[in-house]
């Protein structure tokens, strides 16, 4: 059993794989036009990838025109994979994802992961489990990591997380995982990971400019401008948490803040999806006050984002229940620029219906890096 590590392809092959990943399927002529390769080079490269079983010929395209219908090419399932790791303070998630079919394996470990040492140990166990599940002849592109916190050591991809600050300052996650498994490792702040996932597989597909607001235990953000993930000089662009109150007791649009107010007003009963829906329908005064203040804070932050970046979409994502994000969407108010009574088009606000944006984003990072999708 052979399992090539990282990137086993040359530039022309990557261009073809990138276009097939984007388009789903295409003819040789369409691939030559999209990649800029000559028809002769495209034919040779396609044959190389077919022989290596990375792409295959599909049925001829049905058309009503004259001449021989073109043969479609597409990626082969269960051949190209990536590993995604999501580091959160209360749980770790590992995903083994097929670039054509999505997650093959998903493992979640819940607990207290403020400690860098324990987090690294469990991450190694999860990655080992994922790699052991790889099909024969599979290529694993690498490990993408979504981590809460901010970069302080750009070169070594090191992030400071809240809680065990000293432990995370000393931790070198990318080096530890890279040395253990012989794989390239890419780390992104959770806001940028969510934006990468939205750009490749989520609500951002087909849109050039959007901003993802990540509502989990904290507030994160990630911007995509011109189909490019905005990182900033240190990788900390989009940190909307800096626009929120620092006092953890203050109302904030986070899962921690919501659960704290839920317990204070609703007792020990867990905030299940149904219970949250019932509270919203009952228009509980405390919940209305929490939503109003959270929306006010988000409106302030998003006003700055809209003024600086002019996004087409604002996507509310994260583990905060979708029903609450919908209620926040209805309350968010962002001023629209106008001159002489003519207003600029406002950004549309969308609610991500899923809660898996971080694992989608983490597993998308190696695909984007190797295939060059982050430049599109």
């Amino acid at each position: 059993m052979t399992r090539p590590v990282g990137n086993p392809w040359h530039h022309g092959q990557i261009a073809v794989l990138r276009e097939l990943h984007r388009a789903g399927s295409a003819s040789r002529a369409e691939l030559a036009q999209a990649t800029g390769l000559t028809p002769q080079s495209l034919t040779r490269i396609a044959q190389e990838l077919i022989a290596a079983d990375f792409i295959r010929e599909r049925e001829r395209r049905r058309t009503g025109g004259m001449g021989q219908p073109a043969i479609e090419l597409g990626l082969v399932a269960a051949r190209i994979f990536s590993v995604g790791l999501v580091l959160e303070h209360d749980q770790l998630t590992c995903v083994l994802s097929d670039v054509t079919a999505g997650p093959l394996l998903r493992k979640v470990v819940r607990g207290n992961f403020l400690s860098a040492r324990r987090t690294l140990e469990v991450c190694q166990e999860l990655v080992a489990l994922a790699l052991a599940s790889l099909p024969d002849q599979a290529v694993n592109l690498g490990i993408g990591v979504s981590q809460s916190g901010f970069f302080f050591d750009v070169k070594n991809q090191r992030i400071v997380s809240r809680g065990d600050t000293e432990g995370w300052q000393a931790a070198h996650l990318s080096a530890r995982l890279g040395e253990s498994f012989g794989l390239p490792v890419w780390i992104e702040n959770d806001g940028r990971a969510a934006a990468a996932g939205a750009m490749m597989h989520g609500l951002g597909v087909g849109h050039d400019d959007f901003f993802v607001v990540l509502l989990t235990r904290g507030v994160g953000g990630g911007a995509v401008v011109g189909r490019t993930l905005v990182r900033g000089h240190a990788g900390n662009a989009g940190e909307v948490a800096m626009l929120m109150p620092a006092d953890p007791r203050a109302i904030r649009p986070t899962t921690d803040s919501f659960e704290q107010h839920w317990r204070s007003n609703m007792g020990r009963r867990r905030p299940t999806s149904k219970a949250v829906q019932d509270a919203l329908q009952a228009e509980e005064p405390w919940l209305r006050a929490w939503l109003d203040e959270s929306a006010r804070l988000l409106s302030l932050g998003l006003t700055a984002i809209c003024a600086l970046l002019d996004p087409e979409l604002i996507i509310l994502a994260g583990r905060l229940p979708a029903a609450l994000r919908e209620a926040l969407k209805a309350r968010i108010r962002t001023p629209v620029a106008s001159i002489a009574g003519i207003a600029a088009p406002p950004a549309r606000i969308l609610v991500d219906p899923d809660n898996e944006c971080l694992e989608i984003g983490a597993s998308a990072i190696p695909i984007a890096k190797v295939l060059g999708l982050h430049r599109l």
Side-chain angles (χ1 to χ4, degrees):
M1 178 175 64
T2 59
R3 290 177 180 170
V5 169
N7 174 11
W9 307 295
H10 60 66
H11 177 76
Q13 292 173 333
I14 289 174
V16 172
L17 293 171
R18 176 172 63 238
E19 182 59 24
L20 287 176
H21 181 276
R22 185 198 67 80
S25 64
S27 68
R28 287 172 171 82
E30 289 167 340
L31 287 171
Q33 183 176 19
T35 60
L37 295 166
T38 66
Q40 295 81 1
S41 295
L42 190 284
T43 298
R44 173 180 55 79
I45 290 169
Q47 194 54 45
E48 292 170 353
L49 293 171
I50 290 172
D53 199 33
F54 288 116
I55 68 175
R56 66 177 45 152
E57 292 182 339
R58 298 179 176 177
E59 295 181 357
R60 289 187 181 273
R61 183 178 299 167
R62 296 182 180 180
T63 64
M66 301 291 290
Q68 188 81 341
I71 298 175
E72 297 275 355
L73 297 176
L75 297 175
V76 175
R79 285 290 282 127
I80 307 173
F81 288 84
S82 67
V83 174
L85 269 176
V86 179
L87 279 57
E88 298 179 272
H89 305 116
D90 59 341
Q91 69 179 37
L92 303 179
T93 305
C94 182
V95 177
L96 178 65
S97 186
D98 179 351
V99 300
T100 64
L104 175 71
L105 174 145
R106 180 177 184 267
K107 180 69 175 177
V108 180
V109 178
R110 293 182 173 84
N112 184 332
F113 292 104
L114 292 176
S115 163
R117 179 177 179 179
R118 179 163 185 257
T119 300
L120 288 170
E121 291 172 352
V122 178
C123 282
Q124 286 186 294
E125 294 172 2
L126 290 172
V127 173
L129 178 65
L131 295 180
S133 302
L134 277 171
D136 291 351
Q137 305 300 321
V139 171
N140 185 56
L141 301 181
I143 303 170
V145 181
S146 165
Q147 184 176 359
S148 174
F150 68 90
F151 286 94
F152 74 99
D153 182 349
V154 183
K155 179 180 179 181
N156 295 306
Q157 303 182 75
R158 291 200 292 172
I159 286 180
V160 172
S161 182
R162 69 177 181 176
D164 183 21
T165 304
E166 292 300 320
W168 284 108
Q169 283 183 347
H172 199 332
L173 180 63
S174 58
R176 177 89 166 259
L177 293 176
E179 292 167 2
S180 296
F181 301 105
L183 287 167
V185 179
W186 294 280
I187 299 176
E188 285 289 357
N189 178 282
D190 51 5
R192 260 83 62 214
M199 177 169 58
M200 292 182 62
H201 301 294
L203 295 176
V205 171
H207 299 280
D208 293 340
D209 303 275
F210 60 88
F211 191 88
V212 174
V213 182
L214 185 67
L215 305 175
T216 55
R217 295 193 70 185
V219 182
V224 171
V225 176
R227 297 297 294 164
T228 299
L229 185 66
V230 178
R231 302 190 75 253
H233 88 281
N236 295 315
E239 280 291 352
V240 291
M242 298 175 65
L243 305 175
M244 303 287 161
D247 186 352
R249 296 169 298 180
I251 289 179
R252 295 183 295 178
T254 67
T255 57
D256 278 5
S257 175
F258 171 69
E259 290 170 5
Q260 174 188 335
H261 284 77
W262 179 275
R263 289 191 299 270
S264 298
N265 293 276
M266 306 294 284
R268 292 185 174 274
R269 187 162 58 103
R270 287 183 58 115
T272 63
S273 296
K274 184 179 184 307
V276 171
Q277 289 280 9
D278 291 344
L280 286 168
Q281 290 178 0
E283 296 187 345
E284 295 281 352
W286 71 267
L287 180 54
R288 190 166 59 247
W290 184 88
L291 287 167
D292 289 344
E293 176 61 11
S294 295
R296 185 188 71 82
L297 292 171
L298 281 174
S299 297
L300 291 173
L302 291 176
T303 295
I305 294 298
C306 290
L308 294 171
L309 299 179
D310 188 25
E312 178 188 359
L313 301 177
I314 293 169
I315 301 172
L316 303 183
R319 286 168 56 192
L320 189 71
L324 292 178
R325 286 182 274 131
E326 287 284 1
L328 287 171
K329 170 188 170 181
R331 288 168 165 81
I332 290 174
R333 299 289 181 269
T334 55
V336 176
S338 63
I339 297 176
I342 300 176
R348 286 192 296 145
I349 301 177
L350 302 178
V351 173
D352 189 338
D354 299 318
N355 295 324
E356 293 82 19
C357 62
L358 288 179
E359 55 202 67
I360 292 172
S363 59
I365 291 169
I367 302 169
K369 293 292 186 180
V370 174
L371 298 187
L373 294 168
H374 60 294
R375 300 189 184 95
L376 294 182

